[in-house]
């Protein structure tokens, strides 16, 4: 009989194996456990509130329990978006349909990607699968790769369909001063930035800008990530409580009033249950009661900062009237005719929705409903306030709540959302006092100036800013006669129209590494409000230090920012390439082995001779239909693209080049990795066993 090896197991080897078994828990590898999508209180609450007609209620609840289909939209202002749209429709969706057919029994029509008809220019699409299903299906790996890579390069945004509505209703034009008060993670900010840039008749940098703010310091960096993708000099990220957003000062120390304000306020989020199934477990009637006050304060502050004639959008991803109509009604009532809810539905023609509610009740934690504040027991007085109730029916019509938009999940196969569009007709009744305070501040500021109207340092006394997160580097602008700018100007033959004072760095001492560009309007906000609000990020990287001895200027152009100054760069730093040259350059991933100029077209070889070494701009033109420009590097015998791989993939896709080398099938990769792991594991096991055997022999020998 063989020996019982268990008794004689080597404890060290055994511990090693045990440790392997208890590797840190990897959530992603666990099969998806469906949360039970039921909550009796939720269903009872909304049935009572009559959020939709009774005969639709079951459809509403049924839709809310289904996974949310994935949606994405193409970046509106990119000239190439027309070409990308063709590729999406003619190639990507065809591949998608053949992949999805094997996954699903449903008929072809139901599987077809749907264009969100209310979104302009066919730019927004809904796939008939959830993001999770796309991520987990090998048949759809190319679609998943497309979504990731085009998102990174800023050419598409993966955004929930209903979340695209508020920025559309904001109707942003290129000259608008915009404020996005609760902006993180930033999908709506991205849409606002796109809108600022989407008027292709505007040459150069638009005059408008967006200040994107969030109270959560960590989430502000999600906002940085989102906004950066769009390479715009027209945004600024701040970190403060929206309900106490300070007055900002622009030129001449005037308080800035905004043309457009988005208040996409924090909410209970029950409209996102299709995506965030855990809300089914957490939902309680009291959640909304605790949020109403903050939502009202943010909306009120937004109204104060709005220009007369300006437009603000209040939105939530909550279905609850306490967080929606009750907030709007309270604000409009207090504004006494100076604010008006308007009908902006022409911006979303084709969208199915319900009008805002004009009657609702307020419920206690135990789901007792009250129609009048006077009937609410005293014990609930800290949670339920008079302002949460609708005004008497004789009065309600004047608040125009019917113009609010409530989108429910069964109407367009989306999440739920609430949007109200408000216009400011006059100063708010309490705003006069605020303005007087501002005038007083201005007068005080003037007294602190050096007499000729120029401020010596920052105009306002440094006030203690709330301590949100870590300290940011300063924003240091170039002076009009900044020394290094002269080398930029000479090397890139920059036109005199270029304003060097729009360039900035983030390091006070030492060598400047990166130079960022922001619009003159954003520069004024940055300069005048440094001590007024916590500034997180602004400016698009446009030049970067490259201590290359072959280049006369120590700064190369950076792809992110060069588009904004492209028209100001001289012709001596430009090279036109042909299709094969382009593909060669874009396919080169190894900077140590750049494409040889000898392998390129004759025309490129000739131009190469005329351009001195260093950073340059590459042009590719396919006629009216497609024009590509990017940053390159002219070496002695080489010419290469100086761009990120995702930008390369995007351009290769646009010109119809072969992308197979970039199509990583993560499922195959994972299978290969696991095979290697198993082999290594077997080997290790064998080694452990050998070692054990040796040790056993030693034991025996002893
Ligand atoms: C519904 S999310 C905003 C989503 C965002 N607009 C978008 O489209 O990506 C609400 C945001 O409000 C922020 N927030 C919560 N309270 C706030 C406050 N008092 N001031 C400013 N932001 C606040 C949260 O951190 C959260 O990022």
């Amino acid at each position: 009989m063989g020996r019982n090896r268990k008794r004689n197991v080597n404890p060290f080897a055994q511990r090693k194996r045990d440790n392997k078994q208890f590797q840190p828990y990897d959530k992603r590898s666990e099969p998806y456990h469906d949360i039970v999508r039921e909550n009796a209180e939720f269903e009872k609450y909304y049935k009572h509130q009559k959020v939709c007609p009774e005969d639709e209620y079951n459809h509403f609840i049924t839709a809310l329990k289904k996974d949310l289909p994935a949606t994405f939209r193409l970046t509106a202002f990119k000239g190439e978006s027309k070409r990308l749209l063709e590729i999406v429709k003619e190639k990507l969706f065809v591949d998608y349909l053949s992949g999805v057919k094997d996954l699903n029994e449903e008929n072809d029509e139901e599987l077809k990607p749907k264009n969100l008809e209310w979104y302009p220019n066919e730019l927004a699409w809904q796939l008939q699968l959830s993001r999770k299903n796309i991520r987990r299906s090998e048949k759809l790996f190319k679609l998943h790769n497309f979504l990731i890579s085009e998102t990174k390069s800023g050419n598409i945004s993966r955004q929930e369909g209903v979340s695209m509505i508020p920025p559309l209703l904001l109707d942003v034009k290129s000259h608008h001063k915009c404020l996005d008060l609760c902006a993180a993670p930033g999908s709506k900010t991205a849409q606002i930035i796109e809108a600022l840039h989407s008027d292709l008749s505007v040459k150069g940098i638009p005059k408008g800008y967006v200040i994107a703010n969030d109270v959560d310091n960590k989430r502000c960096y999600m906002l940085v990530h989102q906004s950066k993708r769009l390479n715009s000099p027209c945004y600024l990220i701040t970190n403060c409580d929206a309900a106490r957003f300070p007055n900002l000062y622009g030129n001449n120390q005037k308080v800035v009033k905004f043309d457009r304000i988005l208040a996409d306020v924090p909410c209970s989020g029950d409209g996102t249950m299709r995506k965030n199934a855990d809300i089914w477990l957490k939902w309680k009637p009291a959640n909304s009661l605790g949020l109403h006050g903050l939502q009202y304060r943010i909306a009120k502050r937004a109204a104060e900062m709005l220009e007369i004639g300006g437009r603000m959008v209040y939105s939530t991803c909550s279905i609850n009237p306490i967080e929606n109509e009750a907030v709007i009604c309270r604000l409009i009532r207090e504004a006494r005719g100076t604010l008006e809810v308007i009908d902006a539905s022409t911006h979303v023609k084709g969208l199915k929705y319900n009008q805002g509610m004009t009657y609702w009740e307020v419920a206690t934690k135990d789901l007792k409903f009250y129609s009048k504040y006077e009937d609410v027991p005293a014990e609930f007085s800290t949670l339920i306030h008079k302002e949460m109730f609708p005004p008497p029916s004789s009065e309600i019509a004047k608040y125009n709540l019917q113009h609010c938009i409530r989108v429910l999940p069964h109407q367009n196969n989306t999440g739920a959302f609430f949007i109200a569009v408000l216009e400011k007709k006059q100063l708010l009744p309490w705003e006069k006092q605020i303005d007087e305070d501002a005038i007083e501040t201005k007068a005080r500021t003037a007294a602190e100036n050096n007499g000729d109207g120029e401020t010596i340092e920052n105009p306002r006394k440094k006030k203690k800013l709330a301590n949100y997160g870590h300290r940011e580097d300063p924003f240091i602008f170039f002076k009009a006669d900044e020394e290094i700018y002269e080398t930029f100007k000479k090397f890139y033959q920059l036109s005199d129209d270029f304003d060097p004072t729009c360039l900035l760095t983030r390091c006070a001492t030492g060598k400047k590494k990166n130079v960022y560009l922001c619009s003159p309007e954003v520069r004024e906000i940055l300069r005048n409000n440094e001590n007024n609000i916590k500034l997180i990020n602004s400016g698009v990287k446009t030049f970067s230090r490259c201590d290359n001895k072959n280049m006369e200027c120590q700064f190369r152009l950076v792809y992110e920012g060069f588009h904004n100054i492209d028209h100001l760069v001289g012709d001596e730093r430009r090279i036109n390439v042909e299709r094969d040259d382009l593909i060669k350059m874009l396919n080169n991933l190894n900077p140590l082995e750049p494409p040889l100029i000898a392998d390129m077209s004759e025309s490129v070889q000739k131009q190469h001779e005329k351009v001195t070494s260093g950073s340059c701009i590459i042009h590719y033109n396919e006629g009216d239909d497609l024009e590509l420009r990017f940053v390159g590097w002219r070496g002695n015998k080489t010419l290469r693209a100086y761009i990120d791989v995702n930008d390369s993939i995007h351009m290769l896709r646009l010109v119809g080049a072969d992308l197979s080398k970039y199509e990583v099938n993560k499922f195959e990769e994972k299978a290969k990795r696991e095979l290697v792991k198993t082999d290594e594991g077997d080997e290790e096991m064998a080694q452990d066993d050998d070692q054990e055997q040796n040790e056993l022999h030693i034991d025996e020998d002893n």
Side-chain angles (χ1 to χ4, degrees):
M1 234 182 103
R3 270 177 300 152
N4 182 352
R5 289 196 52 195
K6 272 223 150 136
R7 246 189 289 144
N8 297 318
V9 141
N10 172 359
F12 298 105
Q14 184 59 42
R15 207 176 303 148
K16 207 166 153 189
R17 279 185 205 149
D18 287 350
N19 284 344
K20 248 185 229 165
Q21 274 177 26
F22 296 103
Q23 293 270 323
Y25 170 65
D26 179 3
K27 254 190 180 170
R28 288 166 306 172
S29 61
E30 194 199 21
Y32 184 68
H33 294 304
D34 263 344
I35 289 172
V36 178
R37 298 179 191 209
E38 267 167 25
N39 184 317
E41 285 192 320
F42 173 90
E43 296 191 26
K44 189 173 166 203
Y45 181 86
Y46 283 118
K47 191 158 199 161
H48 186 97
Q49 293 286 24
K50 297 191 173 51
V51 286
C52 65
E54 218 166 314
D55 59 346
E56 280 181 30
Y57 193 74
N58 285 342
H59 298 297
F60 159 62
I61 293 291
T62 310
L64 208 48
K65 294 182 178 185
K66 288 189 179 157
D67 279 346
L68 185 72
T71 42
F72 69 90
R73 59 180 178 78
L74 281 75
T75 302
F77 71 84
K78 298 255 178 170
E80 316 102 63
S81 62
K82 220 168 122 204
R83 174 68 69 95
L84 189 60
L85 178 61
E86 278 165 25
I87 294 168
V88 162
K89 289 202 290 189
E90 286 162 20
K91 171 108 184 63
L92 192 81
F93 288 164
V94 173
D95 288 354
Y96 160 79
L97 273 175
S98 69
V100 92
K101 246 187 218 162
D102 298 338
L103 297 175
N104 218 315
E105 321 256 281
E106 293 179 56
N107 69 44
D108 282 9
E109 261 327 291
E110 281 179 51
L111 298 174
K112 269 192 179 158
K114 288 193 176 68
N115 167 232
L116 302 184
E117 58 181 296
W118 44 268
Y119 198 92
N121 305 324
E122 266 195 306
L123 289 176
W125 290 85
Q126 183 183 66
L127 303 167
Q128 303 310 310
L129 281 178
S130 69
R131 284 175 75 154
K132 181 189 74 193
N133 284 337
I134 294 171
R135 207 172 46 234
R136 295 194 178 162
S137 158
E138 181 163 5
K139 302 254 178 207
L140 301 177
F141 81 89
K142 284 190 183 169
L143 170 73
H144 192 224
N145 286 352
F146 166 89
L147 294 173
I148 292 176
S149 144
E150 295 290 350
T151 301
K152 282 188 182 159
S153 59
N155 292 293
I156 66 160
S157 291
R158 286 182 286 169
Q159 181 181 5
E160 198 183 327
V162 278
S163 150
M164 301 174 195
I165 302 170
L168 281 186
L169 299 189
L170 209 52
D171 190 25
V172 173
K173 303 276 188 274
S174 65
H175 61 279
H176 281 155
K177 291 178 259 172
C178 308
L179 174 61
D180 186 355
L181 278 169
C182 307
S187 49
K188 297 183 193 73
T189 306
Q191 237 179 306
I192 296 174
I193 296 174
E194 287 172 39
L196 288 169
H197 288 270
S198 64
D199 184 348
L200 298 178
S201 69
V202 173
K203 295 281 165 253
I205 301 173
K207 286 205 173 317
Y209 58 82
V210 56
I211 298 180
N213 174 72
D214 204 278
V215 75
D216 184 323
N217 183 265
K218 285 205 187 95
R219 286 172 69 85
C220 279
Y221 294 94
M222 297 164 92
L223 202 45
V224 172
H225 175 77
Q226 268 285 349
S227 313
K228 261 196 174 161
R229 296 180 311 131
L230 297 169
N231 305 331
S232 168
C234 303
Y235 75 87
L236 159 59
I237 293 171
T238 60
N239 178 205
C240 89
D241 175 1
R244 295 188 296 152
F245 198 89
N247 277 335
L248 297 184
Y249 295 83
N251 261 341
N252 309 327
Q253 299 310 311
K254 267 173 93 176
V255 174
V256 176
K257 294 281 179 176
F258 294 92
D259 305 301
R260 296 289 184 264
I261 301 186
L262 175 60
D264 188 36
V265 298
C267 68
S268 59
D270 56 13
T272 68
M273 280 169 150
R274 297 184 71 176
K275 197 173 61 177
N276 305 316
D278 57 327
I279 296 180
W280 283 101
L281 308 175
K282 295 182 203 156
W283 192 92
K284 290 195 173 53
N287 293 353
S288 61
L289 301 175
L291 286 159
H292 173 96
L294 175 64
Q295 292 163 335
Y296 163 73
R297 288 196 305 280
I298 294 176
K300 181 178 174 213
R301 185 66 192 125
E304 288 166 359
M305 293 187 287
L306 195 62
E307 185 70 271
I308 295 175
R311 176 180 282 207
M312 71 178 253
V313 167
Y314 174 90
S315 58
T316 73
C317 48
S318 159
I319 306 165
N320 205 319
I322 307 300
E323 299 176 58
N324 296 321
E325 284 89 344
V327 173
I328 294 302
C329 192
R330 181 174 173 185
L331 183 62
I332 297 287
R333 226 185 321 182
E334 291 178 7
R336 286 193 266 127
T338 58
L339 276 180
E340 211 172 86
V341 184
I342 60 158
D343 177 4
S345 58
T346 48
H347 292 288
V348 282
K349 269 191 196 139
L351 177 77
K352 295 184 198 121
Y353 65 90
N354 288 348
Q355 293 186 336
M357 295 162 63
T358 49
Y359 180 76
W360 60 91
E361 294 182 355
V362 184
T364 54
K365 289 182 203 166
D366 49 356
L367 273 192
K368 285 211 177 73
F369 286 87
Y370 293 91
S371 58
K372 287 204 304 282
Y373 178 67
E374 293 69 29
D375 296 342
V376 179
E379 60 184 294
F380 297 115
S381 64
T382 51
L383 206 57
I384 297 182
H385 303 282
K386 194 166 191 295
E387 296 80 6
M388 293 173 178
F389 289 82
S393 54
S394 57
E395 213 183 284
I396 193 88
K398 69 179 183 201
Y399 300 117
N400 285 334
L401 292 181
Q402 76 281 4
H403 291 331
C404 299
I405 291 178
R406 173 180 269 97
V407 183
L408 294 176
H410 60 293
Q411 295 171 316
N412 308 274
N413 193 13
T414 58
F417 225 79
F418 174 89
I419 311 109
V421 183
L422 280 71
E423 248 175 39
K424 186 163 171 178
K425 302 290 171 193
Q426 296 166 41
L427 285 184
L428 305 171
W430 62 92
E431 207 177 340
K432 229 174 128 235
Q433 183 56 44
I434 295 177
D435 271 18
E436 275 161 13
D437 291 349
I439 290 165
E440 198 193 305
T441 317
K442 196 177 145 192
R444 226 182 316 126
T445 308
E448 287 161 17
N449 285 349
N450 64 359
D452 60 2
E454 283 288 308
T455 44
I456 302 163
E457 250 192 7
N458 191 289
R460 267 156 300 287
K461 286 255 182 265
K462 190 160 180 134
K463 70 178 175 191
K464 196 166 177 340
L465 295 178
N467 186 20
Y468 299 106
H470 80 272
R471 216 183 141 91
E472 281 294 326
D473 291 330
F475 293 80
I476 301 168
F477 283 94
F478 275 25
K479 296 191 205 78
D481 57 354
E482 189 80 24
E483 212 179 309
I484 59 167
Y485 179 69
E486 283 311 308
T487 63
F488 290 21
K489 188 166 174 175
K490 189 162 165 244
F491 187 75
Y492 294 105
Q493 295 178 289
L494 291 171
S495 139
D496 288 341
D497 293 342
F498 192 112
D499 180 357
T501 64
C502 286
L503 294 173
L504 71 123
T505 57
R506 301 287 307 264
C507 57
T509 52
K511 268 189 177 179
K512 296 170 176 58
K513 189 166 182 298
N514 294 314
V515 178
Y516 303 84
L517 173 81
C518 64
S519 72
E521 292 74 15
V522 170
R523 177 194 60 198
E524 289 317 301
I525 301 285
L526 281 165
R527 274 184 177 167
N528 290 312
N529 298 282
E530 202 183 344
N531 298 329
N532 195 14
I533 190 166
K534 177 146 187 176
L535 305 167
I536 299 288
N537 189 273
S538 183
V540 52
K541 203 198 283 182
T542 303
F543 296 98
S544 186
R545 182 176 284 281
C546 64
D547 289 321
N548 184 306
K549 56 181 182 311
N550 292 329
M551 198 169 123
E552 292 151 31
C553 171
Q554 294 311 310
F555 284 81
R556 64 176 172 85
L557 280 171
V558 180
Y559 180 69
E560 280 105 296
F562 99 97
H563 286 106
N564 301 295
I565 61 162
D566 184 12
H567 60 294
L568 302 172
V569 175
D571 286 342
E572 283 177 20
R573 300 240 51 86
R574 296 176 186 275
I575 295 182
N576 291 298
V577 297
E578 294 177 14
R579 188 170 185 275
D580 287 348
D581 308 316
L582 176 86
I583 294 175
K584 213 169 273 154
M585 291 173 79
L586 295 176
N587 266 323
N588 176 273
L589 298 178
N590 183 359
L592 299 177
E593 283 179 29
L596 291 172
I597 201 70
D599 295 339
M600 297 206 171
S601 65
E602 223 172 280
S603 109
V604 170
Q605 294 186 17
K606 276 192 190 141
Q607 296 171 70
H608 184 266
E609 280 171 17
K610 291 187 192 143
V611 175
T612 57
S613 288
S615 192
C616 59
I617 297 176
I618 310 293
H619 289 229
Y620 170 72
N621 207 328
E622 255 187 33
D624 291 346
D625 212 24
L626 183 70
E627 192 188 353
L628 301 176
R629 285 166 185 232
F630 56 94
V631 170
W633 184 270
R634 188 260 192 221
N636 276 343
K637 294 182 179 163
T638 59
L639 181 64
R640 78 171 177 100
Y642 218 126
I643 55 176
D644 178 85
V645 64
N646 292 302
D647 294 310
S648 289
I649 294 175
H650 170 69
M651 290 192 234
L652 286 167
R653 195 187 308 280
L654 292 181
V655 297
D658 177 17
L659 285 178
S660 49
K661 112 177 188 191
Y662 304 98
E663 295 288 16
V664 178
N665 179 343
K666 66 173 183 186
F667 299 89
E668 270 176 16
E669 299 278 306
K670 190 174 171 205
K672 270 190 223 153
R673 275 199 311 274
E674 259 154 29
L675 206 66
V676 172
K677 248 198 240 165
T678 320
D679 286 351
E680 279 172 1
D682 286 351
E683 227 168 77
E684 242 175 84
M685 282 276 253
Q687 278 172 11
D688 289 347
D689 284 346
D690 287 349
Q691 202 179 339
E692 262 176 49
Q693 285 298 340
N694 285 342
E695 282 158 5
L696 280 173
H697 285 286
I698 296 166
D699 280 347
E700 275 174 351
D701 286 346
N702 284 343

